[in-house]
Amino acid sequence: METEFIHRIRESVSDSSPFVPLGIGDDAALLATRGNDTVVTVDMLTDGVDFLLEQADPELIGRKALAVNLSDLAAMAAIPTAIVVAVSLPRKSCRTGVGTLSTLELAGKLFHGIQTLARRYDVAIAGGDTNSWDGGLVLAITAFGKPTDRGITRRSGAKPGDRIFVTGPLGGSLLGRHFTFEPRVREALALNARYEIHSAIDISDGLSLDLSRLIAESKCGAILWETAIPISDDAYRRNDSMTPLEHAIYDGEDFELLFTVSPETAEALLRDQPLEEPVYEIGEITPGDAAIRILTADGVMIPHQPRGYLH
Amino acid sequence: METEFIHRIRESVSDSSPFVPLGIGDDAALLATRGNDTVVTVDMLTDGVDFLLEQADPELIGRKALAVNLSDLAAMAAIPTAIVVAVSLPRKSCRTGVGTLSTLELAGKLFHGIQTLARRYDVAIAGGDTNSWDGGLVLAITAFGKPTDRGITRRSGAKPGDRIFVTGPLGGSLLGRHFTFEPRVREALALNARYEIHSAIDISDGLSLDLSRLIAESKCGAILWETAIPISDDAYRRNDSMTPLEHAIYDGEDFELLFTVSPETAEALLRDQPLEEPVYEIGEITPGDAAIRILTADGVMIPHQPRGYLH
C-alpha cells in the first residue's frame, strides 16, 4: 500500500525543486535552508470535522489540506517552499461525494488535489507517510516556507492606534468556499513587501476568535466597526437564525488575512488599494487587556465576547 | 479544546531552544536553519495499527510517535533539533491500558510521553495542531534535524563488496520493545563521525523489507549470512509457528540501524566495537538488481523473497 502510493507520488513529483535536494525515497527528506530560517506549520484534517468524505470531492479535500497550511504561511508572510504529507486512509472502499472509491482511488484523488495546488504555488512535495487503518480519513500536512528579506509578520506586533484590516468579505464559507478559497499567499507577500505590517493572522476560526488571538498575543484591545465589516454573499445566503453580520463575525474558514498597520499606513493602503481585490479597514487596536468591543451602527460601544467556529 | 491544550503545551515547553526562535503561539513556527540544510521526516501513528489504545499506556504511545521519527533522523545521521506535533483525539472518554481517560487526560499523557523523550534528545517542540473528532486516536509528528559536517547517510550509497551491519539483535519487538526502544540517534552520530558509512536505513518494517529498500535505492543485491543475524531474546519468546530466525528477519519495529561499509571499515568496526552495544556484521552487498539471497547454516545460497511487517 504505502510502497505503491509512494511510487506513484515519486513518479509524479518533480525532482527539480531547489528547496528539496533530497526528496522521497529515503528515511527523511533534505530541505535546502542555508541562508534562511524556515517557517513551519502543521494542520491535521479529519473526516466529520474539516470535511464530510461522504459528500465531498476527495480532490477538494486534498486541496484544502494544503490550502489551510498555505494560509498559515501567508499569515507569516513566508514564501511556501515544500510540504510533507501524512495520510491515514480507510482500509475499505468508501463512499465519497464522487462515488464509492477504493483505498487507492481515494489516495490518488487526494494526492491529485494536493499536487495541483502545490504546483500552482511552486511548492515541492518533499516526503510523506501513507497508512491505512480501520478508521476514517485523516490528512496532516506540514508546510515549510522561507521569510523574505522583509522578515515575517507575527500575531504579536499590533500596537494601540493600529488600524485593523481584512483582505476580503467574511462569513458563510461552509457553503463551499472553505474548500475552494485561495490562500492569501500572494496578497501577504505583496502587502509585506510594500507596507509596514505590524501584526497578522489568518481567519480560520472566525473574525471574532482570531482577532481575540491576535490581540492576546499583542497584549492589546480592539474595537470592531460593525458597519465596516465586509459581509460575503455567502453569509447572506445562509438564511438561518444568525444575521449575515453574525456570520461574518463568527463563521470560520474564511482564510482571509486579518492584519494591523499604523494609521498612516492605513491611509496609504486605502489610497493605493494595492491588491486585485480591495482590503477593508474594519476597526482599530486599543490599549487594554485583550478585550474586544464593537462600535455598532447606532454609534454604541458594546463589549464583545469572542467565540467562533471551533471545528 | 485546542486552546487549552496549547496553553498547557506552551507553559511546559522550554522557550530556550536555539533552533526555535519563534515557537507555539503564532500561525507557524520559525526554525533556525541558517548555515545548515534541514532534514525532515514525518510519521503518522493510528490506533489499531501502531498501537492498541485500549491496552497501551498513552505515555508510551506518545513516546513511540516521537521515537519512530528520531529513528528516521538517526538513519540519516542527523542531529534531531525540533518537532511539530499533530494529534486527533477521540471526542469522548476512552478506555486505555491505564484506565478510562477523558480527552484532556489522554492528551496530557500523550504529550508527557512525547515531551519526556524530546527532553532526553534535546528536541524542541516547535508547534502543533490538536483536534478532537469522532474517530480513533491519530498522531503525526514531523521531525527536523541538522546534518553534521560529515554529511548525511542515505539509503542509496551501498556498493558491491560492502559489508552489512545492524546495531542490535532483531525480532519479537511486539512483546514490548516497539514501545520502549531507544532510537539509535547517538549510535548513528558516533558511527558517522568516525567511519565512512556508505548507506543506512532504520529497521521499521523488518530486516527483509528494509534491506530490500536499501538495495533498491543503491541498485545492488545483497547476501544475508543466516548464522550471523543476531536474534533478540524476544524472538525466542514469541513461541509461535515462526522460528526465532524468521522473527529476526521478518518482524518489524526493531528500529535498529542497518548500514553498509567497505570491507576495510568493517574490519575496523569489528575490531573497535565503538558503541556501548556490539554491532553485528550480517552479510554483504553484491552487484545485481535488488535481489537478496540467504547463505544458510548449511552453506547453501537460497533466493529470498522480501516481505515483512506491513503495519
Side-chain angles (χ1 to χ4, degrees):
Chain A
M1 177 64 226
E2 176 169 13
T3 306
E4 183 170 351
F5 190 62
I6 286 177
H7 272 295
R8 288 175 53 161
I9 292 185
R10 207 170 165 174
E11 278 167 20
S12 59
V13 169
S14 157
D15 277 335
S16 65
S17 168
F19 297 111
V20 187
L22 172 62
I24 293 163
D26 218 303
D27 291 281
L30 197 65
L31 301 183
T33 49
R34 288 165 198 275
N36 257 314
D37 288 340
T38 299
V39 179
V40 57
T41 181
V42 61
D43 275 290
M44 185 179 263
L45 273 60
T46 55
D47 191 8
V49 178
D50 303 282
F51 54 84
L52 296 173
L53 178 57
E54 208 174 281
Q55 299 172 17
D57 178 345
E59 294 207 14
L60 287 179
I61 296 171
R63 183 193 191 282
K64 179 174 181 176
L66 175 53
V68 297
N69 275 290
L70 296 182
S71 184
D72 282 324
L73 293 180
M76 308 289 287
I79 301 167
T81 54
I83 57 171
V84 294
V85 181
V87 56
S88 284
L89 300 155
R91 214 187 291 275
K92 294 177 182 166
S93 59
C94 53
R95 288 199 297 174
T96 77
V98 296
T100 299
L101 299 178
S102 72
T103 305
L104 208 59
E105 287 168 339
L106 175 60
K109 285 187 187 296
L110 291 168
F111 180 70
H112 190 255
I114 294 170
Q115 194 184 35
T116 305
L117 192 65
R119 284 193 177 139
R120 191 171 153 75
Y121 285 91
D122 211 10
V123 170
I125 300 172
D129 184 30
T130 311
N131 313 275
S132 58
W133 71 318
D134 291 327
L137 177 62
V138 182
L139 296 98
I141 292 185
T142 305
F144 308 95
K146 63 170 191 178
T148 68
D149 51 18
R150 296 278 295 169
I152 57 172
T153 53
R154 300 181 50 171
R155 294 182 182 177
S156 58
K159 295 176 178 64
D162 273 9
R163 298 301 160 85
I164 304 169
F165 280 78
V166 287
T167 47
L170 306 176
S173 76
L174 269 180
L175 293 185
R177 203 158 27 90
H178 75 108
F179 274 130
T180 58
F181 71 93
E182 204 60 51
R184 297 303 183 202
V185 172
R186 293 186 176 111
E187 289 79 0
L189 293 171
L191 289 170
N192 194 42
R194 189 161 161 193
Y195 304 94
E196 202 71 43
I197 308 298
H198 284 175
S199 67
I201 189 171
D202 68 320
I203 301 182
S204 55
D205 296 335
L207 171 60
S208 168
L209 212 51
D210 286 312
L211 176 59
S212 78
R213 288 170 179 152
L214 183 141
I215 60 176
E217 293 293 332
S218 294
K219 299 182 172 56
C220 295
I223 296 170
L224 282 176
W225 306 332
E226 185 181 278
T227 55
I229 297 170
I231 301 171
S232 107
D233 292 345
D234 291 329
Y236 286 98
R237 282 194 209 102
R238 286 300 299 270
N239 198 18
D240 54 17
S241 65
M242 282 167 70
T243 67
L245 177 67
E246 286 170 337
H247 279 294
I249 294 177
Y250 296 113
D251 282 1
E253 308 217 319
D254 291 304
F255 297 107
E256 297 292 350
L257 292 177
L258 178 70
F259 62 97
T260 75
V261 295
S262 73
E264 297 74 35
T265 304
E267 262 183 58
L269 260 176
L270 293 172
R271 189 184 58 230
D272 302 342
Q273 284 293 0
L275 305 180
E276 270 182 45
E277 302 293 323
V279 294
Y280 301 86
E281 187 182 26
I282 62 168
E284 60 195 293
I285 298 294
T286 63
D289 53 350
I292 301 177
R293 287 173 295 166
I294 293 194
L295 181 64
T296 69
D298 308 325
V300 183
M301 194 80 87
I302 55 172
H304 173 77
Q305 181 61 42
R307 63 186 170 84
Y309 181 68
L310 290 173
H311 301 80
Chain B
M1 175 65 226
E2 175 167 14
T3 305
E4 184 171 352
F5 190 63
I6 286 177
H7 272 293
R8 288 174 51 160
I9 293 186
R10 208 171 164 173
E11 278 167 20
S12 59
V13 169
S14 157
D15 277 335
S16 65
S17 169
F19 297 111
V20 187
L22 173 62
I24 294 163
D26 217 305
D27 291 281
L30 196 65
L31 301 183
T33 49
R34 286 165 198 276
N36 257 314
D37 288 341
T38 298
V39 180
V40 58
T41 182
V42 60
D43 275 291
M44 186 179 264
L45 273 60
T46 55
D47 191 8
V49 178
D50 304 281
F51 55 84
L52 296 172
L53 178 56
E54 207 174 281
Q55 299 171 17
D57 178 344
E59 294 208 12
L60 287 179
I61 296 172
R63 183 194 191 281
K64 180 174 181 177
L66 175 53
V68 298
N69 276 290
L70 296 182
S71 184
D72 283 324
L73 293 180
M76 309 289 287
I79 301 167
T81 55
I83 57 172
V84 294
V85 180
V87 56
S88 285
L89 300 156
R91 215 186 292 273
K92 293 177 182 167
S93 59
C94 53
R95 287 198 300 172
T96 77
V98 297
T100 299
L101 299 177
S102 72
T103 305
L104 207 59
E105 288 168 338
L106 175 61
K109 284 185 187 297
L110 291 168
F111 180 70
H112 191 255
I114 295 170
Q115 194 184 36
T116 304
L117 192 66
R119 284 193 177 142
R120 190 172 153 75
Y121 285 90
D122 211 11
V123 171
I125 301 173
D129 184 30
T130 310
N131 314 275
S132 58
W133 71 318
D134 290 327
L137 177 62
V138 182
L139 296 98
I141 291 184
T142 304
F144 308 95
K146 63 170 190 177
T148 68
D149 49 19
R150 297 276 296 167
I152 56 172
T153 53
R154 300 181 50 170
R155 295 181 182 177
S156 59
K159 295 175 178 64
D162 273 9
R163 298 302 160 83
I164 303 168
F165 281 77
V166 287
T167 49
L170 307 176
S173 75
L174 269 180
L175 292 185
R177 203 157 27 89
H178 75 109
F179 274 130
T180 57
F181 72 92
E182 203 61 50
R184 296 304 183 203
V185 172
R186 292 186 177 111
E187 289 78 0
L189 294 171
L191 290 170
N192 194 43
R194 190 163 162 191
Y195 305 93
E196 203 69 45
I197 309 297
H198 284 173
S199 67
I201 189 172
D202 69 319
I203 301 183
S204 55
D205 296 335
L207 172 60
S208 169
L209 212 52
D210 286 313
L211 177 59
S212 78
R213 288 171 180 153
L214 183 142
I215 61 178
E217 293 293 332
S218 294
K219 299 183 172 55
C220 295
I223 296 169
L224 282 176
W225 306 332
E226 184 181 280
T227 56
I229 295 169
I231 300 170
S232 108
D233 292 345
D234 291 330
Y236 286 98
R237 282 195 209 103
R238 286 301 298 269
N239 198 20
D240 54 17
S241 64
M242 283 167 71
T243 66
L245 178 67
E246 287 170 339
H247 278 295
I249 294 176
Y250 296 113
D251 283 0
E253 309 218 319
D254 292 303
F255 297 107
E256 296 292 348
L257 292 176
L258 178 70
F259 62 98
T260 76
V261 296
S262 72
E264 299 71 36
T265 304
E267 263 182 58
L269 260 176
L270 293 171
R271 188 184 58 230
D272 302 343
Q273 283 294 359
L275 305 180
E276 270 182 45
E277 303 292 324
V279 293
Y280 301 85
E281 187 182 25
I282 63 168
E284 62 194 294
I285 298 294
T286 63
D289 52 349
I292 301 177
R293 288 172 295 165
I294 293 195
L295 181 64
T296 70
D298 308 325
V300 183
M301 196 79 87
I302 55 172
H304 174 79
Q305 181 61 43
R307 64 185 170 83
Y309 181 69
L310 290 174
H311 300 80

